[in-house]
Amino acid sequence: MFYDAYLAIITFIEMGGNVLYLIAGLTFLMWTLIFERFWYFQNEHKKVIRDATVTWENRAERRSWSAHQIRDSLISEAADRISGSLPLIQTCVALCPLLGLLGTVTGMISVFDALATQGGNARSMAAGVSQATIPTMSGMIAAISGVLGSTLIKRKVDFETELFEDHLTMDH
C-alpha cells in the first residue's frame, strides 16, 4: 500500500520534472507554518494576552500620553506575536504558482528541444507538454490550499488583535 503510493508519487514527479520537488518543499513549509499558527492559538495565545493585560492593569495611571504610548506598544508587541509567521505563509502562497510557471517554462524547453533534435517526434513532444502542465497544476493546487489556510489564520489574527485592543481599557 505505501509502496504503491510512493511509486505513484515518484512517477508523478518524473512526469512533471524537478520543479515539483521545489513545489512540494514549499508546500510542506507553508503547511508547517500554518499548523504552527493553529498550535499557537491553541496553546500559547492565552498566555501572551494574559501577560500583556496584566502588565497594563498593573499600571497606576492610564490616562497620560506616555500611558497611551505604552498601551500602543503592548498592542503592537501582542499583534506581532499573534500574526507570527503569517507574512511568510502569504509569501509561500504567492510563490507556489510562480514555481508552477517555472515548471511550465522548463517543460516547454523540453518540447522545443525535442522539436530541434527529433524533428517533431510526437512521443517526445508529449513528454515535454506533460512536463509543462503538471507543475502548473501542482503550483495552483498548492496555492489554493494555502489561500484557504492563510485566510483562516488572517481572520483569526484580525479578530484576536481587535479583541485585545478592546480589552486594554483606558479608565482608572
Side-chain angles (χ1 to χ4, degrees):
M1 179 174 156
F2 289 115
Y3 179 74
D4 293 335
Y6 172 76
L7 192 59
I9 291 170
I10 293 301
T11 304
F12 184 76
I13 288 175
E14 286 175 358
M15 287 175 37
N18 290 333
V19 175
L20 288 181
Y21 288 114
L22 291 173
I23 294 171
L26 185 63
T27 305
F28 179 77
L29 172 67
M30 176 180 64
W31 276 99
T32 300
L33 293 171
I34 288 171
F35 286 131
E36 182 273 331
R37 282 291 87 196
F38 285 129
W39 180 85
Y40 165 82
F41 283 116
Q42 280 298 116
N43 298 307
E44 297 290 321
H45 178 66
K46 290 177 183 167
K47 181 183 180 303
V48 168
I49 298 300
R50 182 178 47 243
D51 291 348
T53 304
V54 165
T55 301
W56 177 249
E57 292 295 328
N58 287 339
R59 286 190 50 81
E61 68 86 24
R62 294 186 236 163
R63 293 185 182 273
S64 68
W65 179 85
S66 62
H68 284 255
Q69 297 306 308
I70 291 170
R71 179 181 180 271
D72 290 344
S73 173
L74 288 171
I75 291 169
S76 178
E77 289 171 11
D80 267 355
R81 297 280 310 270
I82 291 169
S83 65
S85 57
L86 181 62
L88 187 56
I89 293 167
Q90 291 170 329
T91 302
C92 290
V93 169
L95 282 176
C96 284
L98 295 176
L99 287 177
L101 288 175
L102 176 64
T104 300
V105 170
T106 58
M108 292 309 296
I109 289 171
S110 296
V111 170
F112 294 139
D113 184 49
L115 278 172
T117 59
Q118 298 173 4
N121 181 351
R123 180 166 284 169
S124 62
M125 285 177 31
V129 170
S130 172
Q131 190 177 358
T133 56
I134 288 175
T136 305
M137 176 195 65
S138 300
M140 291 297 175
I141 289 172
I144 289 170
S145 72
V147 165
L148 172 70
S150 67
T151 301
L152 291 173
I153 291 172
K154 177 76 172 129
R155 286 178 146 176
K156 183 74 171 170
V157 164
D158 291 344
F159 175 77
E160 292 296 335
T161 303
E162 192 173 316
L163 186 65
F164 178 63
E165 282 183 51
D166 292 343
H167 278 12
L168 295 186
T169 60
M170 304 294 277
D171 61 343
H172 238 203

